[in-house]
Amino acid sequence: MRMMALVTAGPLLLAVAGLVHPRHLTAATAGHWAGLHIALLPVFPLLVLGLLVPLWGRPRPDAEGALTLLAWAGCLCFAAYYSGLDAVAGISAGTVVDHGVHGAAGPLFATGDELGRTGVYGLAVASLATSAVLWRRHGARVLPGGAILLVACWSFVDSHIFWPKGVFTMLGFAVAFALLTDAASRPAKDVQHLETLTNP
């Protein structure tokens, strides 16, 4: 139960934040826009816990180990580059608009969008690698969570956490992480097979 709470906390917090996220950056919303992104700066990286927790442990020197390292690299890419989006298009853009600096928000959004897309692509690679490892270990029971996870990644490319698409995207991550964590909490296929052989 604690693991489930750990992996779903990030996306659920982001879904709630999406409900109060301004739809547009204007002089009236700029202060709230910047403040919300300051508060969310440590929250976005929490999304990767849904991928790291089911893979917990030292990578083995085999294909699963290589996929685990790929998942870790994708998680790092997301945490770094999506935090860049948060800082540039969230905090910086909100701050310049709040202070009446004209013409600066557009370039900041353009840069932030590039950073965000790179981060989400990293998350998608990590999601594929994690799903592949869990499928090798646990079989078809990881497919529902893996499928929802990939749909959420696809939606995340252009939804951020804006209502309604972004909020449902975050809820999709929460459901996917819960399903994958539940699947990974059961005995692996090779352990079950060994137990069947030794205890016919």
Side-chain angles (χ1 to χ4, degrees):
M1 194 66 180
R2 283 180 293 181
M3 291 296 102
M4 205 70 73
L6 182 64
V7 300
T8 58
L12 291 178
L13 285 171
L14 291 169
V16 171
L19 295 174
V20 298
H21 194 298
R23 294 295 299 271
H24 303 286
L25 176 57
T26 65
T29 64
H32 178 54
W33 182 286
L36 182 62
H37 282 275
I38 291 171
L40 293 178
L41 198 56
V43 181
F44 279 108
L46 294 179
L47 278 180
V48 303
L49 290 178
L51 303 176
L52 297 178
V53 168
L55 295 180
W56 199 255
R58 180 181 298 177
R60 302 188 310 200
D62 57 12
E64 283 188 17
L67 287 168
T68 298
L69 291 175
L70 181 61
W72 289 359
C75 288
L76 177 61
C77 176
F78 171 77
Y81 283 91
Y82 211 85
S83 294
L85 162 68
D86 202 27
V88 173
I91 300 168
S92 298
T95 300
V96 297
V97 172
D98 195 34
H99 286 80
V101 179
H102 299 289
L108 289 172
F109 274 124
T111 300
D113 285 345
E114 290 298 321
L115 292 169
R117 275 193 293 273
T118 301
V120 175
Y121 294 154
L123 186 66
V125 168
S127 297
L128 282 168
T130 299
S131 297
V133 171
L134 295 180
W135 178 77
R136 288 171 61 92
R137 292 179 185 172
H138 304 284
R141 65 174 177 252
V142 306
L143 293 180
I148 295 171
L149 180 61
L150 295 178
V151 171
C153 286
W154 173 78
S155 177
F156 196 21
V157 171
D158 63 1
S159 69
H160 191 50
I161 59 171
F162 293 109
W163 169 262
K165 186 178 178 182
V167 171
F168 285 107
T169 298
M170 291 302 111
L171 294 176
F173 277 121
V175 171
F177 293 155
L179 290 172
L180 290 177
T181 301
D182 178 64
S185 69
R186 304 178 199 177
K189 289 191 305 180
D190 54 352
V191 173
Q192 290 178 324
H193 181 62
L194 180 60
E195 289 176 347
T196 301
L197 292 176
T198 56
N199 300 293

